[in-house]
């Protein structure tokens, strides 16, 4: 079946002088797909990507509700052409020709759950979607949001390896929300504008694997050990703070959509060839002995062009790194085993 186009009436009523084309004079842009576009993250992320001038085509795929979300978003008078795709039979059309695929598909946590408790459902969802990517847009940059990120990124890598399309530079786990939170919380403690704060957050995206490097905050500053304990714990438990406040209605969606849009924009600026684009992301890495690790990466035309070193860590951070690595090793192995079992 045809995709649930944003202009379903167009073929019946030939009143439009241009169909599905960008406004005249608009700069050429990138083609972006959101998989899980009707969800709590997907909808506001679709809104934000429709506002991004670097996006020329926006494909919204989900197993439910994409016609409504697509119709709604498509009425925004911004440059991107929006098309909706509903259900597995339309996955290939959703993916064909994409430059960037963002994946927020999957179930979120409820109070009392860890991100790893989502593995059984989300691992299969990510596998299916990545099989589609390998087939239809093997050169696309892939941003994985679905939890547990520490395992879903290795799952995606294994799917791509099996398909013969794996390019570690193009597969990125989205950990931007940890940086966004860290900047906000550090800004609060120091009385600084959070937009002026940059905290590197390395490791992974779950509990103790989230390792803020408070010794490397920009602008340079120092913290008491009480502040370090408070900030580290709040950053590591930021997701749980939201899950508990939502009391069963899901996890972070709005701040996550903001973070995902920020990260996707950085990937697109990299693809465009902008210089000096550096973000933290969970990627295939040699920064530690582990196969995947989040750290600052420099983005460019081919995705991850450089993985930056961790820099000097203090004793507190070195201890945190050891804890993070123990858990990350298990989460990575769990993802690899899921595909190769
Ligand atoms: P949600 O339930 O509101 O939305 C998920 C969407 O995925 C739904 O619309 C659902 O229909 C869709 N979906 C389910 N199976 C699908 C499939 N096979 N193909 C395509 N779409 C499918 O959940 P949410 O709050 O948007 O969270 C989504 C995921 O993102 C969760 O796993 C959550 O834990 C994760 N998350 C990650 C971060 C991060 O920092 N990386 C932050 C917040 C949430
Ligand atoms: C987050 O950090 O908000 C997400 O990973 C969602 C969650 O389950 O906490």
């Amino acid at each position: 079946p045809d995709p649930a186009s944003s202009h379903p009436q167009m073929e019946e009523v030939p009143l439009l002088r241009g169909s599905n084309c960008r406004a005249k004079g608009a700069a050429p842009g990138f083609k972006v797909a959101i998989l899980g576009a009707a969800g709590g993250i997907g909808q506001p992320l679709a809104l934000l990507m429709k506002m991004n001038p670097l996006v020329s085509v926006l494909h919204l795929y989900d197993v439910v509700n994409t016609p409504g979300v697509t119709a709604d978003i498509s009425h925004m008078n911004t440059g991107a052409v929006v098309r909706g795709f509903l259900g597995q039979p339309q996955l290939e059309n959703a993916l064909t020709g994409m430059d960037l695929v963002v994946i927020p598909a999957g179930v979120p946590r409820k109070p009392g759950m860890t991100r790893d408790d989502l593995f059984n459902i989300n691992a299969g969802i990510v596998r299916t979607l990545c099989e589609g990517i390998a087939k239809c847009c093997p050169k696309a940059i892939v941003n994985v949001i679905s939890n547990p990120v520490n395992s879903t990124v290795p799952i995606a890598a294994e799917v791509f390896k099996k398909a013969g399309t794996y390019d570690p530079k193009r597969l990125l786990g989205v950990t931007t929300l940890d940086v966004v939170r860290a900047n906000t919380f550090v800004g609060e403690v120091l009385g600084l504008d959070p937009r002026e704060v940059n905290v590197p957050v390395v490791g992974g995206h779950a509990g103790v694997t989230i390792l803020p490097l408070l010794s490397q905050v920009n602008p340079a500053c120092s913290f008491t050990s009480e502040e370090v304990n408070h900030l580290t714990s709040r950053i590591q438990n930021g997701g749980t703070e939201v899950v508990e406040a939502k009391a069963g209605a899901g996890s972070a969606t709005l701040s996550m959509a903001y973070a995902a849009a920020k990260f996707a924009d950085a990937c697109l600026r990299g693809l465009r060839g902008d210089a000096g684009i550096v973000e933290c992301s969970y990627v295939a890495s040699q920064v530690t002995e582990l196969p995947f690790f989040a750290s600052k990466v420099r983005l460019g035309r081919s995705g991850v062009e450089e993985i930056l070193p961790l820099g000097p860590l203090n004793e507190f951070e070195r201890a945190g790194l050891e804890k993070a690595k123990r858990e990350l090793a298990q989460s990575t192995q769990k993802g690899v085993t899921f595909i190769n079992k």
Side-chain angles (χ1 to χ4, degrees):
D2 283 345
S5 165
S6 60
H7 308 300
Q9 82 283 22
M10 246 172 9
E11 282 172 23
E12 298 133 41
V13 188
L15 286 178
L16 309 180
R17 294 186 184 193
S19 63
N20 268 357
C21 64
R22 287 191 103 195
K24 279 202 177 73
F30 295 103
K31 297 186 170 116
V32 177
I34 302 176
L35 311 183
I41 297 167
Q43 291 199 36
L45 176 58
L47 170 91
L48 294 169
M49 296 314 289
K50 173 76 169 113
M51 293 170 68
N52 188 320
L54 291 177
V55 181
S56 58
V57 172
L58 181 60
H59 281 189
L60 305 181
Y61 172 82
D62 203 304
V63 290
V64 292
N65 297 338
T66 37
V69 174
T70 304
D72 191 352
I73 297 270
S74 72
H75 289 186
M76 293 167 66
N77 65 332
T78 59
V81 170
V82 186
R83 301 189 192 109
F85 301 84
L86 182 63
Q88 180 77 23
Q90 298 193 357
L91 178 62
E92 293 191 7
N93 283 339
L95 290 170
T96 301
M98 293 299 108
D99 300 303
L100 170 69
V101 180
V102 187
I103 312 183
V107 291
R109 283 201 285 165
K110 288 190 184 329
M113 293 171 82
T114 65
R115 292 177 182 81
D116 186 59
D117 292 335
L118 306 172
F119 186 98
N120 288 344
I121 299 179
N122 290 354
I125 293 174
V126 170
R127 172 175 56 194
T128 305
L129 297 175
C130 289
E131 284 166 354
I133 292 168
K135 187 166 174 201
C136 302
C137 53
K139 298 272 178 224
I141 304 283
V142 180
N143 290 177
V144 180
I145 296 172
S146 316
N147 270 318
V149 168
N150 293 351
S151 302
T152 52
V153 171
I155 286 172
E158 291 304 307
V159 171
F160 296 151
K161 278 183 205 164
K162 272 191 189 278
T165 65
Y166 182 47
D167 177 355
K169 292 162 122 186
R170 294 179 186 270
L171 173 61
L172 300 96
V174 182
T175 59
T176 319
L177 184 53
D178 301 314
V179 175
V180 162
R181 286 178 177 141
N183 294 348
T184 304
F185 304 156
V186 166
E188 278 171 17
V189 164
L190 296 180
L192 293 175
D193 181 337
R195 291 168 297 187
E196 307 298 324
V197 179
N198 195 2
V199 186
V201 184
V202 303
H205 179 68
V208 297
T209 72
I210 300 170
L211 188 61
L213 300 183
L214 295 170
S215 66
Q216 295 182 25
V217 172
N218 194 347
C221 56
S222 61
F223 299 98
T224 64
S225 55
E226 202 186 353
E227 287 170 336
V228 168
N229 286 330
H230 159 78
L231 281 168
T232 303
S233 161
R234 187 150 186 227
I235 295 161
Q236 291 182 333
N237 296 306
T240 306
E241 185 179 320
V242 179
V243 168
E244 283 171 2
K246 291 200 175 181
S251 57
T253 53
L254 303 174
S255 52
M256 181 60 230
Y258 165 78
K262 196 169 176 291
F263 188 67
D265 179 65
C267 290
L268 294 179
R269 282 183 291 125
L271 279 181
R272 183 173 64 175
D274 289 14
I277 313 284
V278 173
E279 295 285 333
C280 289
S281 178
Y282 183 67
V283 295
S285 171
Q286 288 170 357
V287 152
T288 69
E289 65 277 23
L290 298 173
F292 293 91
F293 197 81
S295 66
K296 281 189 197 170
V297 303
R298 187 170 56 75
L299 299 167
R301 287 193 199 279
S302 53
V304 177
E305 297 206 329
E306 185 186 358
I307 299 181
L308 303 180
L310 288 186
L313 306 188
N314 62 28
E315 206 184 318
F316 180 82
E317 292 162 350
R318 280 199 300 276
L321 177 62
E322 291 314 308
K323 257 197 234 162
K325 285 199 294 193
R326 279 195 288 277
E327 185 173 321
L328 276 172
Q330 288 174 7
S331 307
T332 298
Q333 192 50 48
K334 189 168 173 179
V336 173
T337 306
F338 174 75
I339 297 298
N340 297 306
K341 66 182 179 255

